[in-house]
Amino acid sequence: LWLAQIVIGTITAGAAAALFFRFSLGPRPGAVSTTAVGFFAGLFSGLAAAPGPPVVAYFLAREVPARTKRASMIILFAILAVFALATAAFKGALHLHVVLLGLFSAPLCAGGSALGAYFFRRGSETSYRNVALLAMVCSALFGIVLGLSAWLRL
């Protein structure tokens, strides 16, 4: 797991750097880039339950309004969550403590989502991009630090 965290964190940092320097897929990315994002989201999900970095990078690299990016990611992550829940249930990995943790944290997540939506409505395209890039960088650094700390404990 530690190696996956370091690799995913490094790839996420690289994607954030490319986006910082205005890498763009244009308004309508082709089948190759869309398929690659799906593959890497699945790979990251299977390795570390973290499909987000490739998806976020993909949508940030598209030349569409922030509203479209945000709405598309919300829908996609909701669909992925349903599949993850079904997979966990099918494999017998859905234990009572996990369900209770989900039920307990759901109102907190809903509150955070409402707060995020409040700030999103008041922001600009530039502020959305900057906050999303900052989130990618923080996610990358957090993954790398977790991976390195686990590796050093070996």
Side-chain angles (χ1 to χ4, degrees), residues 21 49 53 83 116 142:
F21 290 107
F83 280 113
F142 188 68

Side-chain angles (χ1 to χ4, degrees), residues 132-146:
L133 280 174
L134 178 63
M136 279 185 73
V137 169
C138 290
S139 174
L141 293 175
F142 188 68
I144 292 168
V145 167
L146 281 179

Side-chain angles (χ1 to χ4, degrees), residues 86-140:
T87 301
F90 179 74
K91 290 186 173 189
L94 196 58
H95 303 290
L96 179 60
H97 72 281
V98 174
V99 173
L100 292 175
L101 179 61
L103 290 173
F104 174 75
S105 63
L108 300 171
C109 186
S113 291
L115 186 62
Y118 172 83
F119 286 119
F120 177 80
R121 286 190 300 275
R122 281 148 186 76
S124 65
E125 293 282 328
T126 301
S127 64
Y128 173 77
R129 179 180 173 76
N130 290 340
V131 168
L133 280 174
L134 178 63
M136 279 185 73
V137 169
C138 290
S139 174

